[in-house]
Structures are given as C-alpha cells and as structure tokens.
Amino acid sequence: MADRDWKNQTAVTEFIFLGFGDFPDLKILLFLMFLVIYIATVTGNMLITALVVTDQHLHTPMYFFLGNLSCLETCYTSTILPRMLASLLTGDRTISFSGCITQLYFFCALAATECCLLAAMSYDRYLAICKPLHYSTLMNTRFCLQLAAGSGLNGCLATAIFVLFMSHLIFCGPNEIDHFYCDLIPLIKLSCSDTHLSILLDFVLACVFTLPPFLLTLTSYVCILTTILRIPSTTGRQKAFSTCSSHLIVVTIYYGTLMIVHVLPNHDTLNILNKVLSLCYTVLTPLVNPLIYSLRNRDVKEALSKAVSKYVAFTKTGRESSII
C-alpha cells in the first residue's frame, strides 16, 4: 500500500539547501569569507603541488604523497564551495536531483580517497622511522604509484556502489536538505523508500573501504611513537618526530572532526553544531593543510624560498630587458 502511495506522488526533481539559515544581512559577509577561504585553499594547495613537481629536492615518497594530497584537497573543496558561493551570491539554494547525486558521489569518493592517502602517508613515515635501512627498497617509485592509484580506485569504487544504490531511492517530498551540501544522512532522511538497507550498505562499505585505512594509520603512528620514545637522545627524538608531526596534526584534525560529526546524535538541536563541525573537514582542513605542511616543514619552506627568488630574478631581468 505504501509503495502505491509513493508512486501516486510527484517525484522530487530538485532539492533546497537550508544551509545555516536565512540571514539576508550576513549573505555578503559569508560570501566574502568563503570566497577568500576558497581562493586561499586552491592557491595554497596548488602551490605545494607545483613545488613538489618542479623542485628536485622534493622528489621523494613523502612529498609525492603530499603533492597528491594537495591536489586532492583542491578537488575536494571544489565539490562544495563553488556551489555554496553561488547560492550566497544569487540566493538560489536549489540543486537538481542529478546535481545532488553527482555532488554526493564526488564528495564521498574524494573523502574515501583522502582516508587511504593519509594511510599511505602514515605507512611511509612508519617505514622511514621504524625501518630506515629498508626504506628506499620498500618505498620505491612503483610502490608509491600503486599506493596513490589504489587510494583513488578504492574511493571511486566504494562510492560508486553506494551512490548507484542511492540513485534508485524514491524521493517524493519534502525536498529541503538541512545542510549546506548533499550529505549522506540528511539526504537519506528525505527518502520515501525504506532506508534500512541503505544505512546497512553505508555501514558495510565504511567498514570494508574506510575502516582499514584508519586502522593502518592508527597502527603506524603507535609504532612510530613507540620507536621515537626508544631513541636515547632528546635531539634524535625531536628530529624523528618533526618528520611526521605535520602529517599527524592533519590526521588528527581530519579524523577527529569526521568522527565527532558521525557520532553526534541525530537531533534537531545538534544540527547547527553538526554543520559547523562539517565545515572543519570540508572547508577548513583543506585550507590549513598547506599552512601546516609549509610552516612546519623546512624542505617546503626552502623550495618556496627558491621559487620566489627565481620569480623575482626573472621579473627583474624582464624589466631590465624592456628598459633597454
């Protein structure tokens, strides 16, 4: 009977983002704030990617993964912020059904890929600190490429299975998504279908594709910290920890906020807190990653300094040539 009722209702063709509420006076301020964040995120991550590609001293496994992460972060934040900026500028908060499913796919695929890439980076640091004599042999170019490609394949495959299943759910109203992007749980709550199987499939795929990278990251850092604590000299401990501290900060911020959002009870009173925390891993994490890696990494700072010096010298030479 329920199935017949769904079929008699008009299918939803578009959704409406509720975002952070309707505050006309704050629209321009929010637009400018998120625009600056987006420009800074793209510029910072692309700069790190360019440095890793062009500087010979950064052609190592650690910086190979860092370049991949920076490129991924640019794509990751670009699945959400441009649409949010357009909504703030025009006031149009609608998104088509196909557009919502597409955003959900790319967001989830890139998030799952980032989990795997962070695990690959932690494994790289584990080999460098715990198995230094075998590091160059084990972490060779071929293996690095396999880890990076496997991370992307893992994220795309897991998400494709789930989103394909999600696209067959029935949406017959209401069509208001209580979020600022097409997130999984708010979208499932709008479905008129029986969503128990969707939630179960999400749990199974998370356990199969996302939990292992998290456990590998956790295990790697337990081994790393254990090894560092065994180093007799304070200088040696500080030097060893400095090589992985930036990555550890990024992992803590990313997984910390991600877990809090998914552990929070699904109550209306916590929706605002949920959205604010969601901003941490969808918007702020891609923004602070370049800052964390550049400010705490001597090699990146040196590469940036050389790049700036070359640019200044090139500009100066160009001006002198034009004068002559």
Side-chain angles (χ1 to χ4, degrees):
M1 184 59 137
D3 289 339
R4 245 182 271 127
D5 290 340
W6 294 339
K7 292 173 184 176
N8 290 334
Q9 297 185 51
T10 304
V12 169
T13 58
E14 64 180 23
F15 296 100
I16 300 171
F17 293 123
L18 296 183
F20 292 96
D22 192 12
F23 302 104
D25 297 337
L26 294 177
K27 276 186 179 180
I28 299 300
L29 180 62
L30 289 174
F31 173 79
L32 292 174
M33 182 182 74
F34 285 119
L35 179 63
V36 170
I37 288 174
Y38 182 58
I39 293 173
T41 299
V42 172
T43 303
N45 281 293
M46 285 294 93
L47 180 60
I48 286 184
T49 304
L51 288 175
V52 171
V53 171
T54 57
D55 196 299
Q56 292 291 329
H57 294 93
L58 300 183
H59 289 181
T60 63
M62 182 174 76
Y63 295 110
F64 169 76
F65 290 123
L66 176 57
N68 276 270
L69 180 64
S70 296
C71 189
L72 179 72
E73 295 284 30
T74 303
C75 300
Y76 184 63
T77 194
S78 294
T79 62
I80 294 173
L81 274 182
R83 183 67 188 80
M84 188 193 300
L85 289 169
S87 296
L88 289 169
L89 187 63
T90 64
D92 181 13
R93 295 187 291 178
T94 61
I95 186 171
S96 66
F97 177 79
S98 58
C100 189
I101 292 296
T102 302
Q103 187 187 60
L104 178 68
Y105 171 76
F106 282 106
F107 171 73
C108 292
L110 291 168
T113 301
E114 181 160 354
C115 290
C116 296
L117 201 55
L118 289 174
M121 294 176 76
S122 66
Y123 183 64
D124 170 70
R125 291 300 83 206
Y126 161 75
L127 291 178
I129 294 173
C130 302
K131 308 282 184 182
L133 298 178
H134 304 285
Y135 177 71
S136 58
T137 304
L138 294 173
M139 194 57 72
N140 52 51
T141 304
R142 183 180 177 182
F143 187 52
C144 289
L145 290 171
Q146 287 174 342
L147 286 176
S151 298
L153 184 63
N154 177 82
C156 293
L157 179 61
T159 308
I161 295 170
F162 184 74
V163 170
L164 185 64
F165 185 83
M166 278 283 295
S167 64
H168 289 88
L169 291 180
I170 299 171
F171 294 89
C172 53
N175 67 337
E176 293 181 335
I177 300 177
D178 193 11
H179 220 301
F180 55 87
Y181 68 98
C182 287
D183 196 14
L184 186 61
I185 300 302
L187 192 59
I188 286 179
K189 287 168 68 176
L190 297 180
S191 176
C192 302
S193 307
D194 183 0
T195 58
H196 289 90
L197 189 58
S198 300
I199 295 170
L200 178 62
L201 180 62
D202 177 45
F203 177 76
V204 170
L205 290 175
C207 289
V208 173
F209 290 94
T210 307
L211 186 60
F214 171 69
L215 293 177
L216 176 60
T217 303
L218 188 64
T219 304
S220 296
Y221 273 105
V222 168
C223 295
I224 288 170
L225 293 174
T226 303
T227 302
I228 289 175
L229 291 174
R230 288 177 183 167
I231 298 174
S233 67
T234 305
T235 306
R237 285 197 297 270
Q238 290 175 346
K239 186 177 179 180
F241 186 72
S242 67
T243 64
C244 62
S245 59
S246 298
H247 182 247
L248 183 58
I249 292 170
V250 170
V251 167
T252 303
I253 295 172
Y254 183 75
Y255 276 114
T257 53
L258 195 64
M259 286 179 176
I260 292 172
V261 166
H262 288 87
V263 167
L264 279 175
N266 224 348
H267 294 309
D268 292 338
T269 52
L270 295 174
N271 275 349
I272 293 297
L273 178 60
N274 187 302
K275 293 173 191 176
V276 171
L277 290 172
S278 294
L279 279 173
C280 291
Y281 66 83
T282 58
V283 177
L284 295 182
T285 302
L287 172 67
V288 300
N289 278 2
L291 295 174
I292 292 172
Y293 281 112
S294 60
L295 294 177
R296 298 181 60 85
N297 192 299
R298 187 180 63 186
D299 293 335
V300 174
K301 285 191 287 187
E302 288 178 357
L304 181 60
S305 177
K306 284 192 289 184
V308 171
S309 299
K310 287 180 181 178
Y311 176 76
V312 171
F314 176 78
T315 305
K316 186 178 180 181
T317 303
R319 287 176 180 173
E320 290 175 349
S321 300
S322 62
I323 292 172
I324 295 171

